Amino acid sequence: MITDAQRFQPFSDEPIRLIDEGGAWLAPFSCDLDDDTLIGLYRHMVLGRMVDERLVRLQRLGKSSFVAPSSGHEAAQVGIAGAVHVGSDWIYPYYRDTALALAVGWPLVDMLGQMMGTRADPARARQMPAHPGSRALNMFTVASPIASHVPVAVGTAIAQKLAGAGDATVCTFGDGATSEGDWHAGLNFAGAQGAPIVFVCENNRYAISVDLQHQTGSPNVAAKAHAYGMPGYLVDGMDVLASYLVMRDVMAAARDGLGPALVEMTVYRYGPHSSADDDGVYRASEEVAAWRERDPIPRYRRFLEGRKLWDDAREDELRAALKAEIDAAVKASEAAGPVPVEWMFEDVLSRPTPQLERQRERFRAARRAAGEDVEG
Amino acid sequence: MAVQNYVQTIARTLMEEMRRDERVVVLGEDVGKRGGVFLATEHLYDTFGPDRVIDTPLSEAAIIGAAIGMSVYGRRPVAEIQFSDYVYPGFDQLVSQAAKLRYRSGGAFTAPMVVRMPAGGGVKGGHHHSQNPETHFIHTPGLQVVYPSTPNDAKGCLKTSIRGEDPVVFLEPKRLYRALKEDVSDDVDFMLPIGRGVLRREGDDVVLISYGASIGETLKAADALAEQGISADVIDLRWLMPWDENLVLERVAAVWRVVLVSEAPHSGNMMSEVAATIAEEVLDMLEAPPLRVSGFDTPYPYAQDRVYLPGPNRILHAVQQVLDY
């Protein structure tokens, strides 16, 4: 149920914002979150940032082939994660959702196993890095083709509606995804069905190098919701409280059968699109520096400090604890070792085809002939 | 046993499966109140209502994508694409999502679902109502592909597909929808095994291999050969992925001559794969090179609708070549 229908309005010209850059509370209503929740949001943002920074280093060390940096997106992602009922709701993330995946409980060891392609990856090292997924968390496995998960997420939401269990789906994507046909196909079907799904655009203004002005003539992404008969909320995605509380309300509305919503979260990615990108070619360093000044983590820390919930000692303690967790997970994921060659042939269908069996036998024979260890 | 045509059999099989398993849902364009443009979903909407027979927006990406998302959640969707020629907006969903889901998640997520689509020519539909797209799907690991040629096979293969654990591309030869009737099993659990073909006719002189609508022309050619005293084996592959290597290799090794018939464009079609496998496995048993009779490397023509198809005369010409070799 929407706790206060007047609280957040769709289709605003300016992003919904609850704390200012100095961390001061702006809204005309009071913040109803308890201290543990407030601190938990901060902890997850710092975790996301520290993991992202570690992933970049692991890639430079050659331990991971690819990273999609998420720094700058933490407030939006942690806000989304906070609104998910883990285990009953479904999550359809995209490749930049590091902080989101961790905040809903994806184990660090699983994530690092996925990033390094070791046996620690429950998905058996089948995908390139930055492609999370977890059956236990109802977190759908990311696929690279942009927006291809959007119609799939809608199918899950329609099935949730038919099951009548009062659960909802959240589906995230970047700004580039909004230009894909699959994005339209998904939102249109969700609107027609009144499916319990919340679409979230983490709008960082760049699809690799292409800026938003070259992506769409629409004044913003949220406005596109008009066409699908759903509310579109424009939110400051670098304000974790705005991100979380808007998401909490729209997810509750979806669970209550009030239909889908689109939420646009304005964010900025501090790193390049990926470890294979050079963002200096298309963005001025002054622009990046200006957005660095608006970093969502210090901004929210100032809010917590204003409430006497945070200080330097707690910061040091948190970072030391998270560093130890990350170090241990990196070590465990690496120690799990590489996956066996022959896993390549498994999980294509529920049973291998005779065609694939024959290919596998020939492959084995060739390896044996070359003196390789076919069991390895 | 009931005498039914192909499209009636599809509708009645769906009815049986929806009665048996409430997880089964049907979705697509016009599948609800209209009962499908070919009536392949007739009476389902009246029986099961809009929650289980879903009229979708006109979007193949939405139909196939949503079917995947429903199957992930535990439903057993049977999606209809109105003509296989229109599958391409949903092609990415099949190739990038459905086919790779089990693999890319290490078996954590699967997409047990069926995508039905009428395919093939001979209906004066021009290139956008006549194509045979099976090669695209055969070439996509993670999909099963089936193209049954008779009402009874359609029933057995559809039940196997719906009850299976994998995504199935279910191709229906639309020119046979009402062209023939036959006794169809009334066993509600009648299932034909995945990947198994069938010997439609047994002979000693040449093996003719085909599937889908072309089985009709292939049998006509076999009749004409019989009048000349030439006896032909006719294999109906039924399943194109996986396909019945054992049956094909066993018969080709016994008969020594083979002609492969498919109405799909010639280059890289299903029969290219069958011919290559024959060459790899039983070349030394052959008395003549395998010959293919197929469609051509052109878009499907409108005015030459019938002659594009591999008819009996083209099949007979190829048989003569392998006999004379």
Side-chain angles (χ1 to χ4, degrees), chain A residues 90 92 122-124 126-127 133-135 138-143 145 147-149 151-152 154-156 158-160 162-163 165 167 182 185 188-189 192-193 343-351 353-355 358 362, chain B residues 25 27 51 54-57 59 61-63 65-66 68-70 72-73 75 89 92-93 96-97 99 101-109 141-144 165-167 194 241-246 249 277 280-281:
Chain A
W90 277 67
Y92 278 76
R124 312 184 90 192
R126 290 274 170 56
Q127 292 222 80
S134 164
R135 186 68 188 80
N138 292 343
M139 183 168 72
F140 191 69
T141 305
V142 169
S148 68
H149 64 311
V152 184
V154 172
T156 294
I158 293 170
Q160 287 174 317
L162 300 184
D167 303 321
D182 279 5
N188 183 60
F189 198 7
Q193 283 281 325
W343 279 11
M344 173 168 74
F345 294 101
E346 296 172 14
D347 302 317
V348 179
L349 293 162
S350 53
R351 279 185 303 181
T353 63
Q355 283 71 33
R358 192 191 296 275
R362 285 189 180 162
Chain B
V25 293
L27 70 162
D51 281 357
I54 301 170
D55 273 323
T56 66
S59 167
I63 294 166
I68 298 165
M70 295 174 103
V72 163
Y73 192 77
R75 290 275 172 164
D92 190 38
Q93 289 297 324
S96 300
Q97 288 288 353
L101 184 54
R102 180 187 292 274
Y103 196 74
R104 74 176 204 256
S105 66
F109 294 100
L143 299 178
Q144 293 180 334
E165 297 301 325
D166 298 294
I194 294 166
M241 186 54 68
W243 61 278
D244 200 338
E245 284 184 11
N246 287 343
L249 297 177
T277 305
E280 283 179 339
E281 300 297 326

Side-chain angles (χ1 to χ4, degrees), chain A residues 322-338:
Chain A
L322 292 178
K323 182 175 184 306
E325 270 183 56
I326 296 165
D327 286 346
V330 170
K331 199 172 280 184
S333 301
E334 265 191 296

